[in-house]
Amino acid sequence: MARKLTAAQATIEFLKRQYVARDGVERPFFGGCFGIFGHGNVAGLGEALLEHADFPYYLCRNEQAMVHTAIGFAKVSNRLRALCCTTSIGPGATNMVTGAATATVNRLPVLLLPGDIFARRNVAPVLQQLEGPNTQDISVNDCFKPVSRYWDRISRPEQLITSLPEAMRVLTSPADTGAVTIAMPQDVQAEAFDYPEELFEKRVWNIPRPRGDASALQVAAARIRASRQPLLIAGGGVIYSQASEALSRFAAQTGIPVAETQAGKGSLCYDHPQEVGAIGVTGTPGANILAREADLVIGVGTRYSDFTTASKTAFQNPAVRFININVAEFDAYKHSALPLVADARVALEELAAAVRGYRVSAEYQERITRFRAEWEQEVERIYNLRHGPPLSQGEVIGAVNRATGPRDVVVCAAGSLPGDLHKLWRTRDPNGYHLEYGYSCMGYEIAGGLGVKMADPSREVYVMVGDGSYLMMAQEIHTSVQEGCKLNIIVLDSHGFSSIGGLSRSVGCQGFGTEYRLRRDGHLDGEINPVDYVANAASLGAIAIGVRTHQELEEALARSRSNQRTTVVVVEVDPYHARVPSYESWWDVPVAEVSLLKTVQVARESYVEGRRRERYFL
Ligand SMILES: Cc1ncc(C[n+]2csc(CCOP(=O)(O)OP(=O)(O)O)c2C)c(N)n1
């Protein structure tokens, strides 16, 4: 049996029938399709989406943003659901390249369907086509190749029959997932073909929980038993595998302290007795001191970014060894670790059984307990600074944390907020802390928050965003109003890039070019160039409230929570004083080796000193 459909209709018909199953629970994989139409998709995929009202279409304001929304959706769904995104050809398509990279870095599934130039070629160059004199076998969509986990171009309608299942294999693979790009030439989208009926039958993709090698597991258990100062690092893999309970039991049984990466924060509830906080550049003192001294590091679902390893300075014990539990072989082998290529939950359960009877020393446990108590005091201090106005960023985080419920989600991506949140946020749910810190893409925040809300409307979503990120991509407020997806957005106005300003000063560059100021005598150091964020947000349809004092902030947060429509609270924060410090860590940002500037020469000296502690783990 065959069904005559256009390539675009066949694509949507196929996507509708894709399901995933894990732990016996089955669900449809796709939640619908975001898009912006142009000549490259309006008559092809646009027509197909119009016909298939049961596959929802969402109109957004910017193509990059819709990929961020799809990322937020997939991340809070633990990669068990995804969205697809369709664009026209040319600029609409390449606007998604940054989003594709963000998805792939973070290993989150998104299906991108950019329109493409005519496969038929006879009318080329079409509007928005980038021609080349050396080949006709290329379009701007080739830009997606390095940022996609799977890439294909459909130049004949029947190619979908082999391409779409491959796309699903990659999207649902715990180890290989990321952006999948299927470029759809606009003429082919509208072409009909007799597709085999089987292509449109319901398919259930099992998300596996692979087990590690049995002998490697025994070696791992022996290493744990022999260790005196073990530390477990929980990465995003713990969350995606829904391994929090297994981790909690493992930590309680063994007494091994758990430090969390940005993607792994929330693996344990903040008040778990073995939770020692954030690790690395944006880490807390307990986690970083324990990392420095650890003789065994057990990395679970982490890819050891430089923020986690403090640019390879975090682990200073000469005898340190690593065990890496990861579904991705690539990550499991990092730091010459004993690799356990396995699902996090399964591996932690098996390891718990294999080390039964082992427990860290009472002295080690005492240190963990002390670090935890000292850190709680430090958080209280920062939450209650009562600085300003302008308020300190730390106390704004405290006020927002206090205003949230246990299942609410905080969303953030770039600037100084991620570091401060990593340290200070008290997470009570594995999906309650939503940081896009793989690509740390400014502009992710509001668009990503929309994806979170769409995936789970039962949760209140709190987007925390700096004024710089807000100005890059605030327009999805309008989409959130369209969809009735209420967000609580807190804009922290520091009149520019306070994070990069601080970084610039630390490398001797004096904050150059990082503040929103008017040009004066040829330099960007005139008066502050103000932005009315309240008016801006209101113009997009949000309820917008400007606050200055602590009390006004608390009242605005209470109002925001009870509002039905997206609410934006704008608060000025002090970019220079009462900043949250960094604790026991370092980040490699190379400083100019020669410079006429004294500030740079001084910074270079301490940079050279810091680099001495970078290690290879061979
Ligand atoms: C798309 C993008 N461009 C540039 C950067 C580099 N960058 C990181 S943080 C930052 C400034 C962020 O400013 P803002 O959102 O106001 O936060 P703040 O630094 O004030 O906390 C910049 C430019 C980035 N992460 N993403």
Side-chain angles (χ1 to χ4, degrees):
M1 282 278 286
R3 211 182 326 169
K4 195 176 203 70
L5 295 173
T6 68
Q9 291 161 357
T11 302
I12 302 302
E13 191 64 30
F14 175 88
L15 297 179
K16 262 174 28 185
R17 303 285 151 80
Q18 305 308 303
Y19 287 70
V20 294
R22 186 163 77 178
D23 306 325
V25 182
E26 193 180 289
R27 68 202 95 202
F29 187 57
F30 289 104
C33 185
F34 263 85
I36 290 187
F37 295 129
H39 65 91
N41 61 342
V42 69
L45 278 159
E47 190 277 339
L49 286 162
L50 175 63
E51 264 193 37
H52 290 91
D54 53 343
F55 195 73
Y57 165 70
Y58 301 104
L59 169 61
C60 67
R61 304 295 173 268
N62 174 292
E63 290 92 351
Q64 180 182 322
M66 74 182 169
V67 187
H68 293 328
T69 300
I71 292 168
F73 184 93
K75 184 172 166 72
V76 80
S77 308
N78 298 322
R79 314 195 289 199
L80 299 172
R81 294 173 73 206
L83 292 169
C84 53
C85 301
T86 169
T87 71
S88 188
I89 76 163
T94 51
N95 264 358
M96 291 202 294
V97 173
T98 298
T102 309
T104 297
V105 171
N106 287 285
R107 319 231 172 131
L108 290 165
V110 297
L111 175 60
L112 308 181
L113 303 172
D116 209 331
I117 55 173
F118 280 58
R120 167 158 51 89
R121 294 185 182 168
N122 62 323
V123 291
V126 296
L127 177 67
Q128 302 173 317
Q129 175 169 351
L130 182 82
E131 284 180 285
N134 55 337
T135 176
Q136 293 183 53
D137 189 21
I138 201 161
S139 84
V140 293
N141 284 340
D142 289 74
C143 296
F144 285 98
K145 283 181 179 169
V147 292
S148 299
R149 285 301 180 120
Y150 179 78
W151 185 98
D152 207 351
R153 178 180 282 127
I154 303 302
S155 32
R156 294 168 61 99
E158 63 267 43
Q159 288 174 347
L160 284 175
I161 301 167
T162 50
S163 187
L164 288 172
E166 283 304 299
M168 283 305 298
R169 175 185 62 77
V170 174
L171 287 167
T172 58
S173 159
D176 289 336
T177 194
V180 164
T181 302
I182 301 186
M184 306 274 283
Q186 71 177 89
D187 52 342
V188 182
Q189 284 180 46
E191 255 173 59
F193 182 79
D194 288 321
Y195 288 97
E197 194 62 56
E198 299 92 304
L199 184 64
F200 308 117
E201 279 169 10
K202 177 178 170 180
R203 269 194 208 208
V204 184
W205 299 80
N206 183 46
I207 311 277
R209 290 193 177 278
R211 284 172 193 282
D213 177 67
S215 60
L217 191 89
Q218 291 314 317
V219 179
R223 282 199 190 175
I224 292 172
R225 286 180 189 282
S227 71
R228 298 170 60 82
Q229 294 168 285
L231 174 70
L232 195 146
I233 298 177
V238 175
I239 311 263
Y240 301 141
S241 156
Q242 297 179 291
S244 285
E245 279 175 30
L247 175 62
S248 171
R249 283 194 299 270
F250 180 82
Q253 174 192 319
T254 59
I256 296 176
V258 176
E260 294 172 330
T261 71
Q262 282 279 14
K265 188 172 165 80
S267 292
L268 291 183
C269 190
Y270 83 98
D271 58 5
H272 190 288
Q274 301 322 120
E275 207 265 355
V276 289
I279 180 117
V281 181
T282 52
T284 52
N288 282 344
I289 292 170
L290 292 175
R292 192 185 304 149
E293 298 170 6
D295 58 359
L296 179 68
V297 174
I298 308 164
V300 188
T302 175
R303 60 193 184 94
Y304 290 105
S305 81
D306 65 343
F307 263 69
T308 298
T309 69
S311 301
K312 307 286 184 200
T313 65
F315 314 109
Q316 288 295 325
N317 186 331
V320 67
R321 289 201 291 181
F322 295 82
I323 297 169
N324 290 343
I325 298 170
N326 210 300
V327 275
E329 197 177 74
F330 175 60
D331 293 312
Y333 276 81
K334 285 178 178 172
H335 295 181
S336 306
L338 172 72
L340 271 180
V341 183
D343 169 72
R345 187 202 280 185
V346 166
L348 284 167
E349 283 168 357
E350 291 187 345
L351 212 47
V355 298
R356 192 144 289 140
Y358 166 85
R359 214 183 145 74
V360 299
S361 69
E363 188 196 347
Y364 198 53
Q365 178 60 58
E366 259 168 47
R367 282 188 85 197
I368 295 164
T369 308
R370 184 156 39 81
F371 280 136
R372 284 184 44 76
E374 286 169 0
W375 180 245
E376 283 311 303
Q377 273 179 17
E378 176 70 347
V379 176
E380 280 301 311
R381 181 187 74 78
I382 294 169
Y383 274 13
N384 297 298
L385 269 182
R386 301 279 158 172
H387 177 80
L391 304 184
S392 71
Q393 187 155 287
E395 62 192 311
V396 174
I397 291 173
V400 178
N401 191 272
R402 273 193 286 264
T404 55
R407 286 192 75 249
D408 296 352
V409 186
V410 67
V411 181
C412 190
S416 55
L417 274 166
D420 293 356
L421 287 166
H422 193 204
K423 287 173 240 184
L424 299 175
W425 191 258
R426 290 170 165 164
T427 313
R428 288 161 285 176
D429 179 275
N431 293 108
Y433 182 84
H434 184 114
L435 258 283
E436 187 287 287
Y437 212 60
Y439 213 42
S440 188
C441 187
M442 287 171 75
Y444 173 83
E445 296 87 346
I446 294 170
L450 173 60
V452 174
K453 187 69 182 174
M454 287 177 72
D456 190 350
S458 72
R459 295 178 189 251
E460 280 294 309
V461 177
Y462 286 80
V463 174
M464 296 194 73
V465 57
D467 52 328
S469 274
Y470 179 92
L471 283 184
M472 248 188 219
M473 204 167 274
Q475 74 290 334
E476 299 313 313
I477 288 173
H478 203 221
T479 312
S480 82
V481 174
Q482 161 192 301
E483 295 301 328
C485 285
K486 179 243 174 149
L487 302 174
N488 304 271
I489 300 172
I490 299 95
V491 181
L492 290 89
D493 182 5
S494 61
H495 312 292
F497 307 156
S498 62
S499 55
I500 307 298
L503 181 61
S504 166
R505 282 184 286 279
S506 78
V507 296
C509 291
Q510 307 166 17
F512 172 66
T514 59
E515 292 179 3
Y516 295 149
R517 291 182 181 275
L518 296 171
R519 189 167 294 281
R520 183 182 59 183
D521 303 332
H523 303 286
L524 270 184
D525 60 2
E527 291 297 301
I528 283 173
N529 186 9
V531 178
D532 188 342
Y533 294 100
V534 174
N536 184 288
S539 78
L540 294 169
I543 299 165
I545 313 167
V547 300
R548 264 188 75 69
T549 66
H550 203 91
Q551 194 185 340
E552 285 171 359
L553 175 63
E554 282 184 353
E555 286 166 7
L557 290 171
R559 268 184 65 195
S560 177
R561 194 173 179 82
S562 60
N563 284 345
Q564 297 298 306
R565 184 154 43 103
T566 291
T567 303
V568 178
V569 177
V570 182
V571 57
E572 189 185 0
V573 289
D574 191 332
Y576 307 114
H577 308 106
R579 305 293 294 179
V580 182
S582 66
Y583 302 90
E584 309 279 344
S585 199
W586 191 70
W587 189 30
D588 189 336
V589 178
V591 178
E593 201 165 349
V594 290
S595 173
L596 297 175
L597 303 169
K598 183 72 190 157
T599 47
V600 175
Q601 293 163 8
V602 171
R604 174 76 194 181
E605 272 175 37
S606 64
Y607 171 73
V608 171
E609 198 45 44
R611 262 200 70 181
R612 283 190 221 288
R613 288 180 298 123
E614 290 182 5
R615 292 188 63 185
Y616 290 104
F617 303 105
L618 299 171

